[in-house]
Structure formats: C-alpha cells, structure tokens
Amino acid sequence: MTENNDEGTLFWNHVRAVGQRLERHFRPEKAMEWFNLPHPELGNEAPATLVAEGRTEDVLALIDRMDQINVRDQGA
C-alpha cells in the first residue's frame, strides 16, 4: 500500500469515527450538514476541514462537550 492510500484510509477512518459519534446528536442528513459547516468552537472551521488537516481530536473533543451537555440536560 502506498503512503497516499494509507493517508486516505486514515482520513476515511476518522470521518467514520466522527460520524458514529454524531449519531447520538443528529439524523444522518443533519450530521453531514454539521460536519461541513463552520463551527464557532472550532475557530469557524468546518469539522470536515479539521479532519482533513489531521485535527480529528479537536472535532472529537467538541463532540465530547456536546455529549456532556446532553447528559446534563437529560439529568435535569
């Protein structure tokens, strides 16, 4: 496998990981919209852009915060 294929595989693995995490928050079409729109907590960058730049952890950290908000809201 070439380096480009390895990078491509890693990218798609990260996209899938983010998508799986978003299933708790959005329907598939809304998740895709969220993934492609700039987000203020990501420096007004789209999550897709950050994943493409290798910054998936930043996107997952935001989803972690979203998870915590949901947990708090459900306990209220």
Side-chain angles (χ1 to χ4, degrees), residues 14-15 17-19 21-22 25 31 34-37 39 41-43 45-67:
H14 287 187
V15 169
V18 170
R21 294 286 308 280
L22 289 175
H25 301 278
W34 182 91
F35 190 65
N36 287 290
L37 291 175
H39 196 287
E41 290 188 49
L42 297 173
E45 294 285 342
T49 300
L50 297 185
V51 171
E53 293 173 350
R55 296 176 53 201
T56 304
E57 290 300 319
D58 293 341
V59 177
L60 293 175
L62 173 56
I63 297 171
D64 286 342
R65 290 191 298 276
M66 292 166 51
D67 290 344

Side-chain angles (χ1 to χ4, degrees), residues 5-24:
N5 284 340
D6 290 344
E7 289 176 12
T9 299
L10 184 61
F11 169 78
W12 288 112
N13 286 341
H14 287 187
V15 169
R16 278 190 286 280
V18 170
Q20 289 172 346
R21 294 286 308 280
L22 289 175
E23 288 176 355
R24 297 180 196 173

